[in-house]
Amino acid sequence: MALRQAEHLCPQAVFVLPDEEAVIRIRELLSTALYDLAPTVEVRDEGIAWLDLDGVVHPGEAIREMRRRLLKAIGREPRLGLAPGPFSARLAASSARPGRLMRVEDARVFLAPHPSRALPLEVEQLERLDLLGLRTLGAVAAIGPRELESQLGREGRHAVLLARGLEPDAISAWRPPMFTSAHRQFGEPVEDREALLFVARALCGDLAEELGLRGAGAKHLRVRLGFEASEGEQRESVVRHPLSSQAELFGLVGAWIKEWQPRAAITELWIELPVLEGAGRRQLRLWAGSDGSSDEVIAALERLQERFGDEVVWKPA
Amino acid sequence: MQEVALESAINSIRVRFGSQALTRAAELPPPQPWPSGSPLDRLTGIGGIPRGRLSLFTGAGTSGKLTLALELLARATREFAHAVVIDGGGFDLSSLDSFSPEQGPLTIVRAPAPETAGEATAMLARAGARFLLVMSDVPEHWLGPIESGANRSGTVLVGVVESPGRALAHASSFSVAFARTEWIWERGLLVGLRVAVRCTKNRVAPPLGETELEVRYPLGPRTLRDFSAGVVEASPRDIAEVRPRASAAV
């Protein structure tokens, strides 16, 4: 419903406009949380997420993990639906109880009793359907696509295909941005190095968790300090070997902060990872139990050379 | 009520200093041994040098502690992808040659200052270097990160010092003290020494014990006998035979 229409219908109501930034942030949060569970993941602003489970080896595990992660991210049990396509899956999920999964084998049979108002049509088009006596999806599915197209235009044809469970729409995959950052604003300006290290460690933990979900590593690291009255200071470095764990990130960030001499009390701290390396380039602990951490050891030796000079590390061979 | 307060305190410590900062005894995994093939395996009580813990070799100069550590290092180079020496200035690569090490996995970190040694050890322990031989002083504030890093990655951590500071001694899980008992002379040549090795601290298993080792020097190509550098147990005494003494374990 348009805002103007709502105000007309209810003049006493206070209308709160959506916080666009918060919506985007929550969508990114959910997308990041679900990104590695399936090849295609889509999260919509209205709080719906789809996973295309085609090709997923253990779909049951992916669904369980999705439930767990969503619960952690939003703090509420999600409703889950498993169906042949996104439209029927959405309706299945809306019919499920919180924390439960509704599984649909035959989409057409499942959709038939649902009201036609579930179709993604304009209000006028839905009223038209009502006038035509097409009050359920079963009724919409029973008429020919061309017949409804002649009444509602292209959306009418689309609506019939949806009602028949033919799922004409595909999920549009979310692509993670190739950069990320974490930021903390302090209520009181911080002068204590220990406090700054504590916050930096927590931010590195958040970033590492995100990198872990995306299977990515940071090739470039930047730390910025903001001050109350003067221009901020920053330090950055391109690393030879991508950093992905909290220990790796905090190893570098912590070392910088320990020797940093800020000119004033700090009001804001940013840790930015402007360049990420794609997933699959680095598979740490692949040979778990033996020497799977070899990459990490080499990376640690390289970081020692970056910090203290090449001569610090010597390989006799 | 007290339990709730305790749980809250534990949680706040973990939030403040990281999840590894505090571990309940019941949550600790049992120590895993690295069978080194040396007589020390018996002294640890678990059949090998404990992984993920700091083992400390202490004793005056020429007591054989470094020779034994080098033998472990050479063995580590043959078994692991990475064996690292944190060298505070006293490491001579040629002293390792007679133990037939693999050169490929060996890396030496030359730490100009104890601070660097501490940071390098913590970083490599965390990264999962399988064997770390620490021959340098390590500042006290690095011992925590080193311990937790090694614990997570299962790194075998061996420190060689003449007399450990209080913090280092406290951080170690297994300490052995070396004391030379006599020189070994054969045909007028000094060929080695006998060493009494006493376990002074053992957090990984109950027994404290001692044994006697014979450390043979390499004599080069003109050996009188088929000498090879190495450490052998001269007259192994069963741990049970050692007279019980006050426990030094913490």
Side-chain angles (χ1 to χ4, degrees):
Chain A
M1 184 182 292
L3 182 61
R4 189 172 296 175
Q5 193 180 1
E7 282 172 337
H8 176 72
L9 290 171
C10 188
Q12 282 84 34
V14 176
F15 294 93
V16 180
L17 291 173
D19 181 346
E20 294 292 337
E21 275 187 23
V23 169
I24 291 170
R25 207 164 50 242
I26 289 170
R27 192 180 61 206
E28 293 290 312
L29 175 78
L30 293 179
S31 303
T32 306
L34 304 176
Y35 173 63
D36 63 331
L37 291 178
T40 311
V41 173
E42 181 181 353
V43 178
R44 294 253 180 98
D45 290 353
E46 57 263 38
I48 304 166
W50 283 278
L51 265 71
D52 186 350
L53 295 174
D54 269 354
V56 174
V57 182
H58 302 294
E61 283 177 22
I63 292 169
R64 273 193 292 277
E65 183 62 17
M66 177 173 72
R67 179 191 162 198
R68 193 187 66 74
R69 291 188 192 176
L70 285 173
L71 180 61
K72 189 179 167 198
I74 61 177
R76 293 176 63 182
E77 282 282 10
R79 299 167 187 265
L80 305 168
L82 178 64
F87 179 66
S88 44
R90 182 165 72 86
L91 285 187
S94 61
S95 310
R97 280 185 292 152
R100 295 302 185 92
L101 173 76
M102 176 166 281
R103 187 178 184 141
V104 175
E105 297 291 346
D106 186 333
R108 185 165 181 164
V109 173
F110 166 73
L111 291 171
H114 282 80
S116 54
R117 291 200 163 266
L119 287 165
L121 294 170
E122 298 288 330
V123 180
E124 291 80 9
Q125 290 171 320
L126 291 173
E127 284 170 358
R128 192 94 177 262
L129 280 182
D130 208 33
L131 287 172
L132 290 168
L134 304 174
R135 295 192 177 88
T136 63
L137 292 178
V140 175
I143 65 168
R146 283 189 183 178
E147 285 176 70
L148 202 57
E149 190 175 6
S150 65
Q151 294 290 325
L152 303 178
R154 293 177 70 178
E155 289 85 353
R157 178 186 178 80
H158 185 247
V160 173
L161 297 178
L162 285 177
R164 288 181 176 181
L166 297 176
E167 301 288 355
D169 301 324
I171 299 173
S172 52
W174 178 75
R175 297 271 170 246
M178 291 315 286
F179 64 89
T180 187
S181 66
H183 164 242
R184 185 71 56 87
Q185 186 155 14
F186 303 111
E188 292 289 321
V190 170
E191 292 180 344
D192 177 19
R193 198 181 298 273
E194 277 300 315
L196 197 62
L197 284 168
F198 170 63
V199 174
R201 186 202 297 272
L203 293 180
C204 287
D206 294 346
L207 287 169
E209 197 171 337
E210 186 185 336
L211 291 175
L213 287 171
R214 288 162 59 166
K219 284 289 286 177
H220 187 169
L221 184 71
R222 185 187 297 138
V223 175
R224 290 198 288 134
L225 302 182
F227 307 123
E228 208 162 23
S230 55
E231 202 179 318
E233 292 176 8
Q234 72 172 46
R235 184 153 179 188
E236 62 187 307
S237 172
V238 175
V239 291
R240 272 188 262 178
H241 212 95
L243 312 174
S244 53
S245 66
Q246 183 190 22
E248 287 175 336
L249 290 168
F250 187 67
L252 192 53
V253 173
W256 285 349
I257 291 175
K258 278 176 193 166
E259 60 192 32
W260 209 316
Q261 299 293 338
R263 76 170 84 92
I266 296 149
T267 53
E268 282 180 278
L269 170 67
W270 286 268
I271 300 177
E272 299 171 334
L273 311 178
V275 183
L276 301 183
E277 194 172 69
R281 288 281 301 280
R282 192 164 172 241
Q283 298 182 47
L284 297 178
R285 303 194 188 283
L286 184 61
W287 312 109
S290 57
D291 287 312
S293 53
S294 189
D295 271 0
E296 286 188 72
V297 176
I298 292 166
L301 291 169
E302 285 176 356
R303 280 201 297 284
L304 280 173
Q305 285 179 310
E306 280 168 14
R307 279 196 30 74
F308 301 109
D310 284 349
E311 66 282 359
V312 164
V313 176
W314 177 51
K315 280 196 80 73
Chain B
M1 193 63 190
Q2 275 184 332
E3 278 184 15
V4 175
L6 179 63
E7 200 61 41
S8 153
I10 288 171
N11 286 337
S12 64
I13 287 171
R14 282 179 169 158
V15 169
R16 176 82 170 80
F17 301 108
S19 58
Q20 298 291 320
L22 186 149
T23 310
R24 283 170 176 261
E27 295 167 2
L28 283 171
Q32 298 298 312
W34 172 57
S36 66
S38 77
L40 286 185
D41 290 356
R42 205 163 50 80
L43 285 186
T44 61
I46 56 170
I49 309 291
R51 290 174 187 265
R53 308 292 182 91
L54 175 62
S55 301
L56 214 51
F57 297 176
T58 64
T62 65
S63 62
K65 59 187 183 303
L66 181 58
T67 309
L68 186 58
L70 292 176
E71 187 174 283
L72 300 183
L73 174 66
R75 190 183 179 95
T77 62
R78 294 191 292 271
E79 285 190 19
F80 301 136
H82 292 282
V84 186
V85 180
I86 309 293
D87 175 26
F91 180 69
D92 179 4
L93 184 62
S94 60
S95 63
L96 186 64
D97 288 346
S98 53
F99 296 99
S100 313
E102 290 282 336
Q103 297 278 339
L106 182 64
T107 305
I108 293 139
V109 175
R110 288 173 164 158
E115 187 66 27
T116 316
E119 184 169 346
T121 311
M123 203 183 264
L124 289 164
R126 215 161 38 209
R130 296 287 158 177
F131 184 91
L132 282 174
L133 174 59
V134 184
M135 295 173 54
S136 168
D137 285 340
V138 175
E140 188 176 340
H141 62 269
W142 280 110
L143 291 172
I146 290 170
E147 259 190 303
S148 64
N151 201 261
R152 251 179 291 175
S153 63
T155 297
V156 178
L157 201 57
V158 175
V160 178
V161 286
E162 286 206 0
S163 54
R166 199 174 157 196
L168 192 63
H170 182 71
S172 72
S173 291
F174 173 65
S175 296
V176 278
F178 288 68
R180 188 183 67 237
T181 51
E182 62 174 320
W183 297 107
I184 304 172
W185 294 84
E186 284 182 3
R187 300 184 189 182
L189 281 176
L190 179 64
V191 294
L193 66 155
R194 284 208 168 78
V195 181
V197 181
R198 192 165 54 88
C199 176
T200 55
K201 177 180 178 182
N202 195 343
R203 267 191 203 159
V204 296
L208 294 174
E210 64 181 49
T211 188
E212 192 174 33
L213 305 180
E214 205 173 277
V215 179
R216 293 273 174 164
Y217 295 138
L219 293 181
R222 289 187 190 174
T223 49
L224 294 175
R225 277 170 39 190
D226 187 18
F227 283 128
S228 61
V231 182
V232 293
E233 207 161 6
S235 52
R237 282 185 254 166
D238 194 74
I239 291 169
E241 288 176 9
V242 178
R243 198 170 43 168
R245 59 193 73 190
S247 170
V250 177

